[in-house]
Amino acid sequence: MTTLDATHNPTLRSWVESANVAGTDFPVQNLPFGRFRPAGTDEPFRIGVAIGDQVLDLKAAKVVDHADMNLLMAATPAERAALRTALSEGLQEGGAKQGDWEIALYPQAAVEMALPCRIGDYTDFYTGIHHATTVGKLFRPDQPLMPNYKWVPIGYHGRASSIGVSGQRFKRPQGQTKAPDADVPSFGPSKRLDYELELGFLIGRGNDLGAPIAIADAEQHLFGVTLLNDWSARDLQAWEYQPLGPFLAKNFASTLSPWIVTMEALAPFRAKFERPEGDPQPMPYLDSPANREQGALAITLEVWLQTAKMRDAGEPATRLTRGSTTQAAYWTAAQLVTHHTVNGCNLQPGDLLGSGTLSGPTLEEAGSLLEITLGGKQPMTLPNGETRTFLEDGDTLTLRGYCEREGAVRIGLGEVSGTVLPA
Amino acid sequence: MTTLDATHNPTLRSWVESANVAGTDFPVQNLPFGRFRPAGTDEPFRIGVAIGDQVLDLKAAKVVDHADMNLLMAATPAERAALRTALSEGLQEGGAKQGDWEIALYPQAAVEMALPCRIGDYTDFYTGIHHATTVGKLFRPDQPLMPNYKWVPIGYHGRASSIGVSGQRFKRPQGQTKAPDADVPSFGPSKRLDYELELGFLIGRGNDLGAPIAIADAEQHLFGVTLLNDWSARDLQAWEYQPLGPFLAKNFASTLSPWIVTMEALAPFRAKFERPEGDPQPMPYLDSPANREQGALAITLEVWLQTAKMRDAGEPATRLTRGSTTQAAYWTAAQLVTHHTVNGCNLQPGDLLGSGTLSGPTLEEAGSLLEITLGGKQPMTLPNGETRTFLEDGDTLTLRGYCEREGAVRIGLGEVSGTVLPA
């Protein structure tokens, strides 16, 4: 588990003035990594660190000598700590690097972001117990959670090729669906297109095939956290998913935020990880004192919607829900890493583990429209009078995340947004 | 659909004598691609073509100027046809290239093979209707096939990082299992480790996100065929797979044969694709005259087992089963490509599509031990007196495939073997 050091000092300020503004996602205590290039060019993407409303070009700042994020992510914990310290010291008010690094800054408004790394394999988990319970109730009122849910961190493989960075615009998927009262399926655009509010954990150092990662070591293999929208076509999924799981209902698009907030940056925002009274304790391979003491992450997550009509009228997005990951996840990121590898499966730098939909215990904290509208039965009314059961063409959906705690400086995960185009 | 041309002429012979020996997998009519390097070196892998018991180094032969198989696979159909013609003419008896190319040959016995390409995403389908029926009966005697089976080519995403080339040796996976009569799960090595006999289809040219591949164009996006062993831990799978599908039961290892037999080479071995009387016809997006006329592949598949005891006694492997893919697959490779992309999902050169277990209608053609031993209830006796319900440590399992037809020269897919190590 990462510990607090000088880089977390809440009194630190940066010579980049926008990093000291209250409410910024990217104060000098954050220092997330992303890949960028000057907007409107076709230059190769390079590694940058977000600071206030600027990006520091790590190669121009002579901090790294390459542009390969996956290589950077494969660093040892000691190398990562050293890099973070160097960035913190260089960007601090009064730091000796100001003269050299000022010319390596780009305004975020003037850059294009890529996916933060090459994602070899993408695994999506199902740690949101309130989501699993609410969705399960729609299908199985008597037994919302499967018997394995509190024992096995349920997960499945997702599609890496269709993951895009924030700003992704994708066509509404077409496919087979079958109405409950129909004899045969029909074909057409999905009528129940939804979002899913997730965290995306990115792997740093990998493991060899056949060499599981023990729970005590799992955090060392996590590089950082992003926001992930796991778009879902509920009607395609209902017809296709038996017996091998979701497929075309998910793989038409998934959208990731551009900045990886490191596990080091999240150190002040760890929380106890406790099982509800009466629930089974995790099996020994998924249990450790450190995981119990501070395995959870305290991140606040928000979902915002801007419809085409709102955009045309110049109206801002409206917030649909807000909740906390501490309330939502039944398994920690470390448990996901250990479970994923316990059979010998190898993880590689840049692999993505989705948390699953992180809904809180109430509908005000729900992470999908399926939950908010009770399976599409209860439309939601927006401030401009429009209603939604599921997403409509032209809708832009944005996820935001941030961490706040007494005695620490607020840090943010930035945002991930995506827009639905007609089929 | 690829048509016959001069490269399929059954009277063609090669100046590489071993390519003319009856029963070879690699006559001059085959010309499969793989990646190799001289054994015992750490030279970069290069692209080769198998001919008899030799490998032609395509760069040394001045046929390609790079070592990137995925780039070669992305070629247009015209470029692929031209490459095949050049290779056929150069390797033919009396061909003008003999002098130049003789020095670009390596004995297969003296090379190490890599995976034939970089596999970005791996999707496993479930086209084996006899397998699905037999396995379904074990769980649901009244309804072995799900209602969607004859409408939807069922598939799910697999793990790319743990795919290895023939010769892969992997540890028996550990994980959670739950006995039917137990209250809680237990942890340990899998007791029901199995193989699955599959074909692996490799994608050539890809498609953009949001641009589905029509059934009429689907064959043009298929580069070729390999053998795939989708190792499966049945006991892990039974406990983990609800509701999102197989995960740790599969991703500990999957093994691929090293040679990609191209769709062009398979042109003489296409067959009618017919639905059994009374079954629904494919939906229009999955149907075309060409797919009906010759969408199927006529490949004979065999499964061989050599136990540690047999190996120690110098006894050869024993054949467990033999069957034909024409009898086994409910969906064609073209239908898999079209279904996979109908929602806009993008395929990329080198992506792998598994066929699912290709069992024939009888137990003598079964593609897994789960079927042969009736779910582990009826042990199989081997020639040396050993018995098996599932795989034991030290077992080496080998899949072989070949095509034979009156009027055509036999071609083979080679083999894929893998060995189970103790947990």
Side-chain angles (χ1 to χ4, degrees), chain A residues 5 13 106 129 149 160 171 180 210 228 263-264 321-322 337 401:
Chain A
D5 61 26
R13 292 170 56 88
Y106 292 75
I129 188 166
Y149 189 85
K171 291 185 189 168
L228 171 63
M263 297 311 289
E264 289 82 358
T321 57
R322 174 162 61 190
V337 166

Side-chain angles (χ1 to χ4, degrees), chain A residues 33 76 84 119 204 244 269 275 280:
Chain A
F33 294 92
T76 63
R84 178 172 167 86
I119 299 168
L244 299 180
F269 307 102
R275 283 283 166 91

Side-chain angles (χ1 to χ4, degrees), chain B residues 200-343:
Chain B
F201 303 108
L202 287 163
I203 299 298
R205 278 189 307 152
N207 63 305
D208 291 334
L209 193 70
I213 297 172
I215 186 80
D217 302 328
E219 289 259 348
Q220 291 187 17
H221 292 264
L222 287 164
F223 184 77
V225 179
T226 57
L227 296 162
L228 171 64
N229 187 341
D230 177 31
W231 307 97
S232 299
R234 306 294 181 193
D235 43 359
L236 271 59
Q237 187 172 342
W239 174 231
E240 76 171 1
Y241 91 106
Q242 289 282 16
L244 299 181
F247 180 51
L248 298 189
K250 300 278 193 175
N251 65 14
F252 55 91
S254 314
T255 318
L256 204 66
S257 61
W259 294 109
I260 314 175
V261 174
T262 62
M263 298 311 290
E264 289 82 359
L266 290 164
F269 307 101
R270 306 304 295 253
K272 266 190 186 300
F273 171 70
E274 290 167 314
R275 282 285 166 91
E277 188 78 19
D279 275 10
Q281 287 306 301
M283 291 181 86
Y285 78 98
L286 294 174
D287 194 22
S288 80
N291 193 59
R292 265 174 268 144
E293 274 314 304
Q294 45 171 334
L297 288 163
I299 303 177
T300 302
L301 298 173
E302 298 180 348
V303 180
W304 296 74
L305 173 66
Q306 189 184 43
T307 68
K309 207 169 183 178
M310 291 159 74
R311 197 161 45 242
D312 291 347
E315 291 163 8
T318 183
R319 198 181 73 213
L320 302 186
T321 57
R322 174 161 61 192
S324 159
T325 58
T326 320
Q327 298 293 316
Y330 197 75
W331 302 97
T332 67
Q335 288 174 320
L336 303 186
V337 166
T338 293
H339 183 68
H340 204 316
T341 61
V342 72
N343 68 343

Side-chain angles (χ1 to χ4, degrees), chain A residues 331-380:
Chain A
W331 302 97
T332 68
Q335 287 174 322
L336 303 186
V337 166
T338 293
H339 183 68
H340 204 317
T341 62
V342 71
N343 68 342
C345 182
N346 56 330
L347 302 179
Q348 298 181 319
D351 283 349
L352 174 64
L353 311 187
S355 61
T357 310
L358 292 175
S359 304
T362 71
L363 276 192
E364 287 68 39
E365 304 160 272
S368 71
L369 286 172
L370 187 69
E371 294 159 84
I372 296 175
T373 69
L374 307 178
K377 286 201 278 286
Q378 190 166 299
M380 171 180 58

Side-chain angles (χ1 to χ4, degrees), chain B residues 12-30 49-56 91 93 98 102 105-109 409-412:
Chain B
L12 288 184
R13 291 170 57 88
S14 174
W15 50 263
V16 180
E17 267 311 316
S18 58
N20 306 320
V21 173
T24 180
D25 279 347
F26 308 122
V28 71
Q29 289 83 357
N30 193 345
V49 162
I51 180 78
D53 60 10
Q54 304 288 305
V55 187
L56 180 70
L91 287 165
E93 217 167 49
Q98 181 167 358
E102 268 173 344
L105 286 181
Y106 292 75
Q108 284 170 26
V409 172
R410 174 196 190 280
I411 64 172

Side-chain angles (χ1 to χ4, degrees), chain A residues 302-306 316-322 396-400:
Chain A
E302 298 180 347
V303 180
W304 295 74
L305 174 65
Q306 189 184 43
T318 183
R319 197 181 73 213
L320 302 185
T321 57
R322 174 162 61 190
T396 295
L397 201 291
T398 301
L399 311 178
R400 294 196 181 128

Side-chain angles (χ1 to χ4, degrees), chain B residues 359-376:
Chain B
S359 304
T362 71
L363 278 191
E364 287 69 37
E365 304 160 88
S368 70
L369 286 173
L370 186 69
E371 293 160 85
I372 297 174
T373 68
L374 307 179

